[in-house]
Amino acid sequence: LVAGLSAPAMTMTGSTDGALHWQNKRYIENGFYDVALNGEYERLQPVIRKWVQPLRIWFYSEAGDRAQQQWLLSTHFQQLSKITGLPTEFVPNRDQANVRVLFTSNHDPNGIAARELSPTGLRELGRSVCLGQIRFNRRAEIIRGTVVIPVKRAESRGKLVPCVVEEVTQMLGLINDSRHLHPTVFSDVTNDEFLTGLDFLLLKLLYSPELSTGMTYAQASPVIRRQLDIWERKGLIHSASEMVAESPLYALSMR
């Protein structure tokens, strides 16, 4: 399964009816179905897909600032782990990893990207700023994730940080880009570079223990509605933006 980041076709701004439209429970629920149950490039059976094992991450760099790239990855994975509860660790060898993140040169037709991606993924990489791909088993458990970021291409469009944030996050199971949902990084028509409060809630929903891999819309719907009711009573929905902004990545927006 492939998901890529393209250059934005347009910019969507907040509506005059208030920036908190996304705190509506039905909006969150419908947005979850849009990004979790649909595929960006491929038609899929609409079921819940997520990781059920720790993430073992192999980081590879052949272009750009390696130290910066490693910091971006490490910081973002720490945030994702805090939100989802998924354990994460970096491993030194490719064969130890179930997650591979590659910062490559722009022209890599026979290099590492070609070895790591499927033919469909490699083709889409040529049309995208950056790209992620996942594999899952018959139980809809994600078992492999790959992210490829051609560094100069991403940097020339100001998309290095968005590529890390969006592609790595989508690899957790929120695999579709929505043309309707905002504010979110799961969109090619908005300019959100960091996880939003809505993204925080979508990730927490996906990794709620009550949601199991393979669940259909009909099976997941009552679970999601109960969870959102609980979060509304506890104030989590209204504090989501403050909680997600605690990541050190947000200091980049102040530079």
Side-chain angles (χ1 to χ4, degrees), residues 116-147:
E116 293 292 342
L117 295 174
S118 69
T120 299
L122 193 61
R123 182 174 63 250
E124 292 300 333
L125 179 62
R127 300 189 279 216
S128 304
V129 181
C130 48
L131 183 128
Q133 187 170 45
I134 62 171
R135 296 179 186 175
F136 46 88
N137 61 24
R138 293 182 179 180
R139 296 183 296 276
E141 299 167 346
I142 303 174
I143 57 174
R144 175 72 59 80
T146 304
V147 172

Side-chain angles (χ1 to χ4, degrees), residues 11-252:
T11 300
M12 295 176 61
T13 58
S15 61
T16 56
D17 59 354
L20 302 182
H21 64 279
W22 57 269
Q23 294 179 333
N24 179 280
K25 290 183 295 183
R26 297 290 81 80
Y27 190 89
I28 300 167
E29 179 185 358
N30 291 332
F32 180 83
Y33 300 142
D34 195 6
V35 298
L37 299 184
N38 296 315
E40 185 174 356
Y41 294 114
E42 304 165 56
R43 297 188 67 177
L44 300 168
Q45 182 182 6
V47 299
I48 298 294
R49 295 175 177 84
K50 62 180 180 178
W51 293 84
V52 297
Q53 58 182 312
L55 305 183
R56 301 182 304 278
I57 308 143
W58 180 63
F59 160 61
Y60 171 87
S61 176
E62 66 180 14
D65 186 334
R66 179 183 176 89
Q68 178 198 42
Q69 296 159 7
Q70 190 162 19
W71 182 84
L72 288 172
L73 275 183
S74 176
T75 303
H76 189 51
F77 272 114
Q78 287 173 18
Q79 182 180 32
L80 292 176
S81 180
K82 184 176 181 180
I83 295 170
T84 64
L86 277 173
T88 63
E89 66 169 327
F90 283 80
V91 295
N93 299 315
R94 172 184 177 276
D95 292 341
Q96 297 174 298
N98 53 19
V99 173
R100 298 164 184 170
V101 184
L102 318 174
F103 292 83
T104 69
S105 61
N106 278 7
H107 304 289
D108 189 26
N110 299 304
I112 191 165
R115 296 194 298 271
E116 293 292 342
L117 295 174
S118 69
T120 299
L122 193 61
R123 182 174 63 250
E124 292 300 333
L125 179 62
R127 300 189 279 216
S128 304
V129 181
C130 48
L131 183 128
Q133 187 170 45
I134 62 171
R135 296 179 186 175
F136 46 88
N137 61 24
R138 293 182 179 180
R139 296 183 296 276
E141 299 167 346
I142 303 174
I143 57 174
R144 175 72 59 80
T146 304
V147 172
V148 179
I149 303 173
V151 175
K152 289 185 179 179
R153 186 188 310 172
E155 289 181 335
S156 69
R157 303 186 188 189
K159 293 295 180 182
L160 183 64
V161 173
C163 277
V164 171
V165 172
E166 179 180 342
E167 299 303 338
V168 168
T169 305
Q170 283 195 307
M171 187 193 62
L172 298 190
L174 298 174
I175 54 183
N176 188 42
D177 279 343
S178 173
R179 296 188 65 84
H180 311 290
L181 196 66
H182 69 99
T184 176
V185 298
F186 306 117
S187 172
D188 285 338
V189 297
T190 64
N191 292 321
D192 294 293
E193 295 189 1
F194 307 101
L195 295 182
T196 67
L198 178 57
D199 295 329
F200 173 89
L201 295 168
L202 296 175
L203 283 165
K204 283 194 74 67
L205 273 178
L206 180 61
Y207 282 89
S208 297
E210 294 80 7
L211 276 185
S212 301
T213 59
M215 274 187 169
T216 63
Y217 167 86
Q219 293 168 325
S221 179
V223 176
I224 289 170
R225 292 186 178 187
R226 284 196 301 271
Q227 189 66 74
L228 289 172
D229 286 342
I230 293 170
W231 288 352
E232 184 178 54
R233 291 196 299 271
K234 291 185 174 181
L236 182 65
I237 292 175
H238 290 278
S239 62
S241 290
E242 290 76 12
M243 296 180 71
V244 80
E246 294 174 356
S247 169
L249 274 181
Y250 285 79
L252 296 177

